[in-house]
Amino acid sequence: MLSFFWSRHFLLSRAFLWPLFIVNFLGTIYGYIWYEDQLVATFNEHPLWRLVFVPDSPTASLFFTIALLYLLFPPKSEYGMVKMGRYIIEALAVVCSVKYGIWAVSMIVAGAWQGAELNWQHYMLMASHLGMAFEALLFLRFMKTGIVSLVIATGWLLLNDTVDYTFGVFPYLARELRDDLSAVRGFTYGLSLFSFLAAVMTWRFRKKA
């Protein structure tokens, strides 16, 4: 019985995909609103091009939301740039969701470990971000993406990490973690590589869908 809920028939049914799309779409909007203060501060204090590197989790959610649209409305034909665009978006959906899903939970837990106070929003964020990582790996078997696009997507993650910690536009951290910035930076880079490995392993060993 439980195997039905992991099956292609259930996961790709429109009765499941539409609610999943709506949840991710609304979560993406909420995520950008969550980053509003940092986006405004970056706009006022940094060159405009750095804005794109600020909202990490909602951008990951945006990529996955677009990937769901490919499943809801499969293109009748794919070639050239259209095919390449889909491969890269789906790769970004996977590696970004895994990376930032785990990262957000890790930072909340690390802050709490050092004494930061937790409220209901933190628990909501942990649940939603773990869901991001889980759903990305779960749906990878239905995506068209491949190893080359996963490498490109990981390159984006590493570029994002470099911009974040070179120019100070990384997501706001709990006060208790501000003296651990070098450790956070190292963890962030490592998590980018882990996300790539997790995606590649899932891609290689996925069952034929």
Side-chain angles (χ1 to χ4, degrees):
M1 180 63 180
L2 287 178
S3 62
F4 170 75
F5 296 102
W6 300 94
S7 67
R8 177 188 181 95
H9 177 74
F10 175 74
L11 293 174
L12 294 186
S13 66
R14 300 180 78 80
F16 182 75
L17 284 176
W18 271 117
L20 188 64
F21 170 81
I22 292 170
V23 168
N24 277 274
F25 178 75
L26 294 177
T28 299
I29 294 174
Y30 177 81
Y32 282 112
I33 293 173
W34 179 273
Y35 272 91
E36 180 181 5
D37 290 344
Q38 188 173 0
L39 285 168
V40 171
T42 303
F43 177 82
N44 290 330
E45 301 169 11
H46 293 264
L48 286 179
W49 64 267
R50 294 178 192 166
L51 279 173
V52 72
F53 296 98
V54 173
D56 295 332
S57 293
T59 301
S61 179
L62 175 63
F63 288 135
F64 187 77
T65 302
I66 296 172
L68 289 176
L69 283 178
Y70 284 121
L71 297 177
L72 282 165
F73 304 101
K76 294 181 179 179
S77 61
E78 291 182 298
Y79 54 90
M81 296 299 294
V82 174
K83 180 178 180 180
M84 183 183 301
R86 177 176 183 176
Y87 275 46
I88 292 176
I89 287 174
E90 290 182 339
L92 286 166
V94 175
V95 297
C96 292
S97 294
V98 172
K99 188 261 184 76
Y100 294 117
I102 297 174
W103 188 92
V105 174
S106 300
M107 293 303 106
I108 292 172
V109 171
W113 182 265
Q114 296 194 33
E117 183 179 354
L118 295 184
N119 56 41
W120 68 269
Q121 287 182 314
H122 291 107
Y123 292 106
M124 179 271 291
L125 288 171
M126 286 193 285
S128 62
H129 280 78
L130 284 177
M132 283 174 55
F134 176 75
E135 68 183 3
L137 293 176
L138 179 62
F139 275 86
L140 176 55
R141 62 188 170 120
F142 306 126
M143 295 180 180
K144 301 289 187 180
T145 193
I147 189 68
V148 174
S149 51
L150 289 172
V151 170
I152 293 172
T154 304
W156 165 259
L157 285 182
L158 294 172
L159 173 62
N160 199 339
D161 296 341
T162 301
V163 172
D164 277 358
Y165 293 96
T166 299
F167 300 107
V169 293
F170 51 85
Y172 289 153
L173 298 170
R175 182 177 62 255
E176 290 78 4
L177 294 177
R178 292 174 187 170
D179 59 346
D180 298 313
L181 187 56
S182 60
V184 171
R185 180 174 58 244
F187 175 77
T188 302
Y189 274 102
L191 196 53
S192 292
L193 299 177
F194 169 82
S195 300
F196 170 72
L197 292 176
V200 169
M201 293 295 290
T202 304
W203 176 77
R204 287 189 60 186
F205 294 105
R206 62 185 175 179
K207 296 180 179 178
K208 295 294 183 180

